[in-house]
Amino acid sequence: MRRIIISITRNNDFRRLYRRKAEVGAVLVSYAAKNRLGVHRVGITTSKKIGKAHDRNRARRVIREAYRLLAPSLTDRAGYDFVFVARVRTTVCSMQEVYRLMKKQLAPYLKKSDEADS
């Protein structure tokens, strides 16, 4: 069964997350907050500082793919909103590097290892 990634589209939702404490890395900045929807939603931000349109598109693709691989291991207890902000290095790094950093930043929202084994 294919899982669909639900996007955050409303500016108000992005602003609510930006007021939260961020997890900052060299490649990626992550924001997370619980929502009342019961499903996980994702927003990806790339500014013009990243580069031209093809650079911003690549950064979004890399972040989306890393999240897609990480999504099955996210907790099912509640729905969360995640916003990822691309940085300049995102355009030149590999998807595995973004995945490792994202996994580290989203560690509090991942299923516990004993739950995953059961």
Side-chain angles (χ1 to χ4, degrees):
M1 182 174 152
R2 183 177 171 166
R3 292 187 142 203
I4 298 172
I5 297 176
I6 300 171
S7 295
I8 297 174
T9 56
R10 294 178 51 218
N11 187 25
N12 192 29
D13 293 331
F14 278 96
R15 287 188 301 155
R16 178 176 60 89
L17 285 157
Y18 289 146
R19 286 192 295 260
R20 299 280 188 162
K21 183 179 180 292
E23 292 288 332
V24 180
V27 177
L28 187 69
V29 180
S30 301
Y31 297 88
K34 195 178 275 192
N35 67 31
R36 296 179 182 175
L37 302 173
V39 295
H40 301 308
R41 298 188 303 168
V42 178
I44 300 172
T45 305
T46 54
S47 72
K48 288 192 176 183
K49 289 182 190 177
I50 302 295
K52 297 190 180 205
H54 60 273
D55 295 326
R56 296 192 303 270
N57 290 336
R58 182 185 187 282
R60 279 192 291 268
R61 272 196 319 271
V62 167
I63 292 170
R64 196 178 309 115
E65 178 64 13
Y67 177 80
R68 187 187 68 80
L69 294 175
L70 197 59
S73 60
L74 290 172
T75 184
D76 295 329
R77 286 179 275 146
Y80 285 92
D81 289 339
F82 300 105
V83 170
F84 302 108
V85 180
R87 301 187 83 173
V88 175
R89 280 194 51 199
T90 310
T91 60
V92 295
C93 69
S94 67
M95 193 279 302
Q96 288 81 15
E97 190 176 344
V98 174
Y99 175 80
R100 280 194 300 274
L101 182 63
M102 189 181 289
K103 188 173 183 179
K104 182 178 164 188
Q105 291 177 343
L106 298 183
Y109 310 103
L110 298 177
K111 292 177 185 173
K112 303 292 185 234
S113 59
D114 58 319
E115 290 177 11
D117 294 337
S118 303

